[in-house]
Each structure stands twice: as C-alpha cells, then as structure tokens.
C-alpha cells in the first residue's frame, strides 16, 4: 500500500503485506488493491512510479525473468488494472503451488533425513576436532 516504504519484519499493515500462508485469493485481492500512481502509463522508474515499479519487480521475481524484460513488455501501456491482474494471478499461482507442496511434506521423512545428516556431520566434525586437538597438543598422536 505504501511502495515507497521499505519492507519490515513487523507487519504494520496486513493489507499491504502478502504472507506465504495467505489464502491465494486473498493475496490476489491485496495485489489488486495495491497503490500505483496517477501518471497514466507504465514505466519502470522507482522514483516516479514506485508502485508500478514494485509490480514489475514482483512479476519478474515470480516469473524468474530479468526485471528489464518484464518492464519492456509493459513499457508505455496504460492499464494499471491489467498489470495488477497479471501480478495477482502470478501471486495466486505461486502461493497455491507453494502451499500444495508444503501440505505434502512428509514430516517424518524430513526428520529422518535431518537426523542422518546430523550424524554424518558429527562424524566429520569429530575427526576434524581430533586433528586440531592433536595439532595443538591437547591429545597424543597415538589417540
């Protein structure tokens, strides 16, 4: 809602913040209500059009494309609503996909993998620690 303000870890305005746990439809509504400006045409210029530039940057990030490519596609067009609709759809797809993957995480398999990795790392760390202790004389070389 305030594109000139830096992002913060604390949510002062929940309507201006999209969380990864937000309902995708509600997140899309937040995008549609985002502040743009009254310039009348789309330009990637954070000084003159921070809201529009923010939309272009979000679109670039969600499409994994350079922001200049996205900006070129929208440059000079005059439909902020179309741009917001496009970004809203991208946000909706991204959140739907992310939340679906998260819901399908096998927590026990994840915990098992973490325990296996921890054991493997501990083994490497113990060997390294023993070498260091021997090198500084805290352990005998026969140990």
């Amino acid at each position: 809602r305030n594109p000139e303000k830096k992002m913060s870890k604390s949510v002062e305005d929940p309507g201006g913040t999209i969380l990864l746990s937000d309902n995708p439809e509600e997140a899309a509504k937040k995008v549609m209500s985002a502040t743009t400006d009254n310039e009348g045409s789309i330009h990637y210029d954070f000084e003159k059009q921070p809201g529009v530039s923010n939309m272009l940057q979000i679109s670039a990030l969600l499409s994994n494309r350079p922001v200049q490519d996205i900006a070129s596609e929208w440059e000079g067009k005059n439909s902020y609503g179309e741009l917001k609709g496009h970004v809203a759809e991208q946000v909706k797809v991204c959140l739907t996909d992310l939340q679906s993957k998260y819901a399908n995480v096998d927590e026990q398999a994840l915990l098992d993998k973490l325990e296996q990795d921890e054991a493997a790392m501990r083994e490497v760390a113990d060997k390294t620690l023993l070498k260091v202790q021997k090198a500084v004389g805290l352990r005998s070389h026969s140990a």
Side-chain angles (χ1 to χ4, degrees):
R1 291 191 183 176
N2 186 353
E4 294 175 354
K5 189 172 183 185
K6 298 253 184 220
M7 287 187 359
S8 169
K9 289 181 183 174
S10 62
V11 178
E12 296 172 15
D13 178 10
T17 305
I18 296 173
L19 303 175
L20 297 177
S21 59
D22 278 354
N23 173 296
E25 293 293 332
E26 292 298 317
K29 287 179 186 175
K30 289 180 182 181
V31 171
M32 293 304 292
S33 68
T35 300
T36 48
D37 59 52
N38 57 6
E39 293 288 320
S41 66
I42 296 170
H43 302 286
Y44 184 64
D45 182 341
F46 268 104
E47 284 196 27
K48 292 181 182 174
Q49 291 187 293
V52 169
S53 298
N54 190 34
M55 288 285 139
L56 295 169
Q57 196 166 47
I58 291 168
S59 181
L61 291 168
L62 292 177
S63 63
N64 199 26
R65 294 175 55 204
V67 71
Q68 293 302 346
D69 288 357
I70 300 298
S72 294
E73 291 175 11
W74 289 93
E75 182 66 28
K77 293 183 179 180
N78 58 9
S79 177
Y80 293 159
E82 188 179 337
L83 174 59
K84 288 195 220 182
H86 175 75
V87 175
E89 185 60 31
Q90 286 180 293
V91 167
K92 195 163 43 169
V93 167
C94 176
L95 288 180
T96 299
D97 183 50
L98 177 78
Q99 292 170 4
S100 172
K101 287 177 181 174
Y102 181 74
N104 290 317
V105 167
D106 181 343
E107 289 188 34
Q108 189 56 52
L110 182 60
L111 288 173
D112 292 346
K113 177 67 173 144
L114 288 171
E115 287 175 8
Q116 290 170 4
D117 290 350
E118 181 182 6
M121 288 185 288
R122 189 177 310 111
E123 187 177 322
V124 170
D126 287 348
K127 287 179 184 176
T128 303
L129 181 60
L130 181 60
K131 286 181 187 178
V132 170
Q133 288 172 338
K134 285 180 180 179
V136 297
L138 295 174
R139 293 265 184 116
S140 68
H141 287 284
S142 61

